[in-house]
Amino acid sequence: MIRCSSLHVFLVSLLCLGHGGFSFVHQTAAPIIRSTNTVVNRALLFASASTASSPDAVIAPQVVATGYSSDDDLPKAIREATAMAMESLPSNDDNDDNDATPTMIDLAVIFVSSLYDGTFSPSLVVPSLLDAASSYGGVIQHVIGSTAGGVVGSVANTAAQAQKAKSNCRPAELEGTLGVSVCLFQLPGVELQTFHVLGDDVPDDYARFPASMWKQAVGLTGFGGTDDDEQDDDDDSPVFMLLPSPGFQNDLDDLLQGIQANFPHSSTFGALASTVSSLSRARLFRYDVTDKQNMQTLGDGCVGIAMKGDIQIRTMVAQGAKPVGGIYQVIKATGSTINAIVLDETATELEREARAEDDELEDDEEEEEEDEEATDDDSKKAQMAAAYAKASIPKPCLAEANFLMRTLSDDDQSFMRKALLVGLERGGSVGRTPSELARLREGQGHRFEVKQVASAGMKDGSITLPLGSVNVEPGTRMRFFVRESNFAKKEVEALWMGYKKRVLQESFQTQNDDDDDDNNKTPTSFRPTGCFVLPTLDRGSKFFLGKPGFESGTVTSFVPEISAISGFFSNGVIMKLDEDDPAEIASSTHGSASGFVLFGSKSGRPIYSPAAAAAAKAKAEEDRKIAEEAARAVAEEDEKRKIRTKTVETLGGKAPRSEDGELILKRREVHSGRALTVSTVEWSVAEKQATPSSTLESFMWDKETEVDRFRERVPLANLVSQCRLAASDPTKPKPRDWVGLIRQASKDGFVVIPECKRMEPTSGSLWKRYDAEKLAKQFTLSGAPAICVNCDAVLFGGSQDDITRARKSASSAAVEKASGDDGVVVPPILASDLVLYPYQLYKLSLAGADAVNLVGGALASKDLLYLTKIASSLQLQTLITVTSEVQLRALAAMAPNSIDGIIASNRELEDFSFDMSGEQALRLLQSEALTEVRGKHGDDIPVLVEGRVGVIERVDADGNTSTAQYLQELRDAGATGVIIGGGLAEGNDYAAIREVAGALA
């Protein structure tokens, strides 16, 4: 047994300077002192960062990783299991040193099949484990473990496997065969200490011993603060894991009670070491880095690990016992002996009613009814037993069990003849569901604690439970149980359902606590990092009717985020039957059960998942590639823009204009280098190299080329047919009243229309990552009455698919935003493009546009008239963009009401620059030409302004400069509203601009 020594003194001194398990480095560890100290220093920095106040501080995650192997060579099996577990730990890819940084492992728990004992010495286990970890770059600080009759392990899923399986790991249960399971822990912020105690050294009367003496006796000197501290702060409540040998059972209760007395807020779990055959001897394993020469392989006593700090556990126990018969009251009892019982009819009836309401037990009840009706003999037996049970006189336990047994199925009778199980009602049952399974599903815990009868009095019919296990009081309720696999399956599932419900309730409580100003501590809901599954030897695939891995598989079903499951088949489970039961003071041993232990941190540390880490790494790489591709695309678009935005500098002056000041525009000449396509060969004739005289002319020539290419793929006749079919198809989108919503919105104030635009010819890309669908959603949720989408691909980098995506996204967002009173109002879409041919109008209609924008400066009067008629036939509203009074007078010459709106622009069509003073749009608003247009097409025709709105600043009467002043001047000049595109991309928030516009006088 490890006693208090200079090693413990040195350990405590290191703990005062270090951080949890990362600090356990002994001065005699010469071979790895340099690399290990490097790890310690890095770990200390990493841990200190986790408590820093900086929002960018990195918090070290709590990590649990497992691996297993069934190789018949013990050292090789340990190496394979360790390698599998090491692969699931966080990598050190960010190390900048020349030497690889070792991975610090605070705790390793190993379970080894006893079948290796005949071929390999158990003393090989710890050295093989340490060597295996070291060969893969790991440094283990502490080790505990034992031999087992079977092991439980898991392998972490890859990101693809996790997505397909809906869980982060694949567990395996190796029962009665060769196998090794290794579980590795990284526990930042946790103080750890291993210990070994023999049965003779455990004080049998812990109350007589001071805390310091008791800790020294069991090997826990120096753990949990000063030895004079008899109680621990609840925030540092320690966790104990115990692995006793089978011969330690008689002293185990004394150890458990002593731990609870000296660490009243502690949690204890564990399991008794086991073997496949009774001819083998169970072994225990222990190692502590503070004494590297002490690699212990033990045959007696109990090994354990004490953990204190940022760690907590959740435990559950599945008893695997089905209740049979009624509920009784103990009439006479002495110590652990029950002499006489009587049926508690009230409790029995309440429990039967609760079972009848339990949906999961309906099938079982129907089967029981069918069995009872199978033969008259069975019916008579049931009636006889019921009549005897209802007798008011007390009865011996064995007599009642004998009559009850006759009413059971053959399998249950067979079990009862071999073993008699009795359940004693536990405290805290008042106000809870009487049904056992229903209680577990609600997270209320077990009603009865099941124990196997140790002996029976054949003369008086009494039964005696294991000595010291319980002190039965008269008046205690009890009932009989049998082991049954189907019920055991339901019990395991019910336990996990109850766990999920408790965690959900805790999360709600956490939210309430976060809102409590008086709470100085930040509560966190429990998030598991790993799980131990600890079944006894009589469970497993044979008990669950040949279904292997049922219990570990259930864990992944209910807690799929767990990436590590370990454990072993034991001789008994050590933990509280219900961890939240205040009446259950200390953990106890359960001889035939399964224990489940979940690990987590108190502070809510990040949970490391290999699958999630791989997915995050892949996502980061994908994002990097997307960002690079986007940057490359932006650069290419900017280069194309520079080429396409040709200026008149090569002509030595301004572009040619007519007498009225309008640009003289020539259409593209066929013989000037027009590209032609014959079959799959594209060629061109360049007899003359024509040069555009302005940016608009260049724009028009490129647009004509674009339309020609579209026509080669889809002729105009096909588009016309598609539009006719869409008009008659009720499932296809129909044009909406774009202008009508603008008029409606103008009644409430100055209208602000957002524009989805990828780039500007004069400045390049407006957005780092342009997403018309995302922008349309944001604008809709912000209350936009209508949306403009620039779909030109030549100068503005858009596409007609942007219209379709924006329309769909806006519709979904409108449904999300809609209230029951207002209904759904979807903002219609205005398509902004350089439209020169009817062909383009048909394509825009099919894309989902509700209105189109025609550039007045690019179209002759006859073309303008023709295009508006085609648009009207497609039910598309037309808005004309004008940059001069000449263009306005052309609109005044058109037939009344042949256009639906006007857009006054600050853009200069010669080079596509902007009038940054904003005067151009103001002059158009105040011109006589606009008055003529309104007289022809109606005074209520909407007049919108575009071109650096939201960027242009004006000086108000007080000498203050602002963008809001320009909005005010536009409103005063008679504008209905504005269209803002580039202004939104330069940091302006649409909702804020809309609010400013709504407040204009």
Side-chain angles (χ1 to χ4, degrees), residues 855-889:
V855 179
L859 298 170
S861 297
K862 61 179 181 179
D863 292 333
L864 193 59
L865 178 62
Y866 183 45
L867 290 175
T868 55
K869 287 183 177 180
I870 297 297
S872 178
S873 69
L874 294 172
Q875 299 181 11
L876 294 176
Q877 296 174 328
T878 54
L879 287 87
I880 313 300
T881 297
V882 295
T883 58
S884 68
E885 294 185 38
V886 174
Q887 297 167 22
L888 282 173
R889 290 192 179 94

Side-chain angles (χ1 to χ4, degrees), residues 294-591:
N294 190 11
M295 303 181 186
Q296 292 183 315
T297 301
L298 308 158
D300 297 309
C302 174
V303 296
I305 182 78
M307 299 172 280
K308 182 179 181 182
D310 193 11
I311 185 172
Q312 60 176 327
I313 62 172
R314 296 286 189 273
T315 61
M316 294 176 287
V317 176
Q319 301 185 102
K322 179 181 73 174
V324 293
I327 299 176
Y328 302 86
Q329 274 198 1
V330 176
I331 300 301
K332 182 180 179 182
T334 304
S336 59
T337 299
I338 303 175
N339 302 99
I341 58 176
V342 66
L343 183 71
D344 189 328
E345 296 186 52
T346 302
T348 300
E349 188 61 28
L350 287 174
E351 193 272 340
R352 285 178 179 172
E353 290 176 357
R355 276 197 301 128
E357 296 174 358
D358 190 343
D359 294 335
E360 287 197 15
L361 293 180
E362 286 182 357
D363 293 338
D364 292 340
E365 291 171 352
E366 291 174 1
E367 291 175 1
E368 291 174 2
E369 291 174 3
E370 291 173 0
D371 290 339
E372 290 175 356
E373 295 172 358
T375 62
D376 292 337
D377 291 340
D378 290 341
S379 179
K380 291 178 181 178
K381 291 177 181 178
Q383 293 175 3
M384 180 179 61
Y388 185 83
K390 289 183 179 180
S392 59
I393 59 173
K395 297 171 288 296
C397 289
L398 285 182
E400 186 62 29
N402 185 44
F403 275 91
L404 173 63
M405 185 171 59
R406 298 177 187 179
T407 68
L408 304 180
S409 65
D410 292 341
D411 290 341
D412 291 344
Q413 286 189 43
S414 176
F415 177 85
M416 255 186 119
R417 290 190 179 97
K418 296 176 183 177
L420 186 59
L421 301 182
V422 171
L424 299 178
E425 189 176 45
R426 307 168 64 248
S429 294
V430 177
R432 296 185 179 182
T433 306
S435 171
E436 187 77 7
L437 290 179
R439 283 170 60 102
L440 296 178
R441 282 194 294 270
E442 292 296 319
Q444 298 175 355
H446 293 275
R447 181 179 183 182
F448 292 90
E449 182 174 3
V450 179
K451 296 182 178 295
Q452 183 169 335
V453 173
S455 61
M458 302 306 296
K459 293 184 178 180
D460 60 0
S462 63
I463 58 173
T464 301
L465 303 179
L467 185 64
S469 62
V470 67
N471 185 26
V472 183
E473 297 288 341
T476 302
R477 289 194 179 99
M478 61 150 283
R479 70 185 310 180
F480 296 100
F481 286 79
V482 296
R483 303 241 177 250
E484 200 266 331
S485 60
N486 288 328
F487 184 88
K489 288 181 181 179
K490 294 178 181 179
E491 180 192 23
V492 172
E493 293 170 347
L495 274 172
W496 283 104
M497 291 175 67
Y499 161 77
K500 297 288 285 186
K501 184 168 185 177
R502 290 198 306 273
V503 170
L504 183 61
Q505 292 172 343
E506 288 177 6
S507 66
F508 289 147
Q509 182 62 41
T510 297
Q511 294 175 4
N512 294 334
D513 291 343
D514 285 338
D515 296 333
D516 187 358
D517 295 336
D518 296 332
N519 193 352
N520 295 325
K521 302 168 185 176
T522 303
T524 57
S525 57
F526 182 76
R527 299 169 59 207
T529 54
C531 178
F532 272 174
V533 178
L534 303 171
T536 51
L537 291 169
D538 56 351
R539 294 174 74 94
S541 61
K542 185 176 181 180
F543 179 66
F544 290 109
L545 303 178
K547 185 174 182 179
F550 171 75
E551 293 183 291
S552 57
T554 303
V555 177
T556 60
S557 298
F558 283 89
V559 197
E561 65 270 22
I562 283 182
S563 56
I565 297 176
S566 185
F568 73 105
F569 288 84
S570 66
N571 271 320
V573 178
I574 304 168
M575 61 186 70
K576 289 184 178 181
L577 189 60
D578 292 310
E579 60 179 358
D580 296 329
D581 187 356
E584 192 174 5
I585 298 176
S587 298
S588 58
T589 306
H590 308 277

